[in-house]
Amino acid sequence: MALKILLVDPDEAWLTGAKTFLEAQMYEVQTVANGRDAQLALYNDKFFAVIMNYDVQNHSCMQVLKFIKTNYTNQRVIIVLNDKGLVDSGVVSKEKKKKIGVAEIAVKPFE
């Protein structure tokens, strides 16, 4: 049985490419383009991991993280940043990352 991953990103081209890659690695992937749909997907299904862009709209990344932390305490979450400046400036520090329930932070582009 394939592990299920939820991809959340406003960039449809990136979602398509990431979904194709992850499915080739034998994952089952669901994609959504906004935070509201991400919350709905989490409510309706269980996922091994959530990979979410920090810049997601229509329920921000922080709102979705709060929803996950409140309702799905063991959910693995990976945040994708478009700009390394957020990490360097301390907006997303290791302490904050742990407090909001994020397992890892990835900066685009990544492999």
Side-chain angles (χ1 to χ4, degrees):
M1 184 171 164
L3 296 175
K4 293 178 85 172
I5 295 178
L6 176 63
L7 291 177
V8 186
D9 198 296
D11 182 354
E12 294 288 340
W14 187 86
L15 278 176
T16 303
K19 180 177 181 174
T20 302
F21 174 79
L22 289 169
E23 287 177 339
Q25 303 303 314
M26 305 307 279
Y27 289 100
E28 186 177 329
V29 181
Q30 182 175 343
T31 61
V32 294
N34 63 60
R36 184 173 179 269
D37 290 344
Q39 287 177 319
L40 188 59
L42 284 161
Y43 178 77
N44 289 325
D45 214 341
K46 291 184 179 182
F47 295 93
F48 171 73
V50 176
I51 303 173
M52 179 170 40
N53 191 310
Y54 187 79
D55 296 331
V56 73
Q57 299 295 312
N58 193 4
H59 289 244
S60 71
C61 178
M62 296 307 285
Q63 288 173 311
V64 177
L65 286 171
K66 187 174 182 179
F67 173 79
I68 291 171
K69 188 172 183 176
T70 302
N71 299 295
Y72 308 99
T73 54
N74 294 325
Q75 181 65 64
R76 290 176 187 88
V77 180
I78 299 170
I79 296 298
V80 178
L81 301 173
N82 293 331
D83 182 11
K84 187 160 172 52
L86 290 173
V87 176
D88 295 339
S89 67
V91 170
V92 183
S93 64
K94 285 185 179 184
E95 296 79 30
K96 233 181 215 182
K97 179 179 90 165
K98 188 172 184 174
K99 184 178 179 182
I100 60 176
V102 174
E104 292 293 328
I105 296 175
V107 180
K108 283 184 183 179
F110 59 87
E111 293 182 18

